[in-house]
Amino acid sequence: MVQKAKILLVDDRPENLLALEAILSALDQTLVRASSGEEALKALLTDDFAVILLDVQMPGMDGFETAAHIKRRERTRDIPIIFLTAINHGPHHTFRGYAAGAVDYISKPFDPWVLRAKVSVFVELYMKNCQLREQAALLRLQLEGGGGGKAAVGDAKEPAGLLAELSARLAAVEEQAEALSKQLDDESADAAAVATAAHLERKLTGLRRALDALEPGTGSSPSVPSQN
């Protein structure tokens, strides 16, 4: 069963959090509330998130400062951040949001359909990366436990059968990634989303090469592609 992605909603006003939950509930993912920057950073210590919706105007630690802390942490620096703000101070204010590491900057009141579409792109990218990590874990199991013609540890299948299953699963992920990339091109999506999709495709290509090299008769033992 595919695990749901977690989306972090950060706003000091309960009514705004409620509105975000109403808009994003159709995505059928796990929505996590945080009423301050400090609470958001605490949630990020233990959970992995597909995307963060971060209010700019908050008492104490505002959105810009919260984003700076998120980007300094190795565990969280790559999580996409969408800034939400009720006011627009012009290009300089928007630039500050992008400089803080945001992938998008949306002024309230925003179009619910647009916000949901933007969030769904990052959720899809997150899910594809999770699938890729699963395939890589299976490949490591094969490389570490399948030597000498024996089946992988904890797996009753012969190496050839396991390789065929891995290849089929990877093909499904490749097909989904290709469809997502075409969707991003068609919709003229954000540059950050396009770059993330391209990075995912590169990792898929590396994993495909590793699997191909494991086919009988290749005579090589490739290393598993890095997940960084």
Side-chain angles (χ1 to χ4, degrees):
M1 183 175 64
V2 178
Q3 186 175 4
K4 293 183 179 181
K6 291 184 178 180
I7 302 170
L8 183 59
L9 313 176
V10 190
D11 200 303
D12 63 298
R13 301 176 68 88
E15 62 270 25
N16 290 342
L17 290 172
L18 187 62
L20 287 173
E21 288 176 335
I23 292 171
L24 300 176
S25 61
L27 298 180
D28 193 28
Q29 305 300 326
T30 302
L31 307 177
V32 179
R33 284 190 176 200
S35 58
S36 67
E38 292 85 355
E39 190 175 336
L41 293 176
K42 184 177 180 181
L44 287 163
L45 286 174
T46 54
D47 290 324
D48 294 324
F49 291 90
V51 61
I52 302 170
L53 274 63
L54 180 58
D55 184 39
V56 172
Q57 308 296 324
M58 294 188 294
M61 183 184 296
D62 66 12
F64 295 132
E65 187 178 355
T66 302
H69 281 288
I70 293 171
K71 292 303 178 181
R72 279 199 293 265
R73 292 178 179 177
E74 184 176 356
R75 175 188 172 93
T76 59
R77 65 179 55 165
D78 294 325
I79 302 177
I81 297 174
I82 298 177
F83 272 137
L84 305 175
T85 180
I87 56 176
N88 189 354
H89 291 298
H92 177 73
H93 199 253
T94 303
F95 175 77
R96 185 182 176 193
Y98 287 117
V103 297
D104 211 337
Y105 194 98
I106 303 177
S107 296
K108 304 174 186 176
F110 42 78
D111 186 328
W113 294 94
V114 171
L115 179 63
R116 188 160 51 238
K118 289 177 180 290
V119 171
S120 69
V121 168
F122 291 107
V123 168
E124 285 189 68
L125 289 172
Y126 174 82
M127 299 301 285
K128 297 300 183 296
N129 272 297
C130 288
Q131 289 177 319
L132 179 58
R133 285 195 294 269
E134 179 184 349
Q135 309 311 317
L138 288 172
L139 179 57
R140 287 193 184 95
L141 182 63
Q142 165 65 20
L143 290 173
E144 293 170 3
K150 296 180 181 179
V153 175
D155 197 316
K157 295 182 179 181
E158 291 297 322
L162 180 57
L163 280 175
E165 181 178 340
L166 283 171
S167 182
R169 291 189 182 188
L170 180 57
V173 178
E174 288 171 330
E175 183 178 350
Q176 292 171 344
E178 182 180 358
L180 180 58
S181 295
K182 289 180 179 178
Q183 178 185 355
L184 291 174
D185 291 339
D186 292 342
E187 296 178 356
S188 300
D190 300 320
V194 174
T196 304
H199 180 59
L200 173 61
E201 287 192 333
R202 287 195 296 272
K203 291 198 290 185
L204 284 169
T205 299
L207 188 53
R208 172 58 66 187
R209 289 198 187 109
L211 275 175
D212 290 343
L214 285 172
E215 291 295 331
T218 59
S220 60
S221 298
S223 58
V224 178
S226 170
Q227 297 305 300
N228 294 329

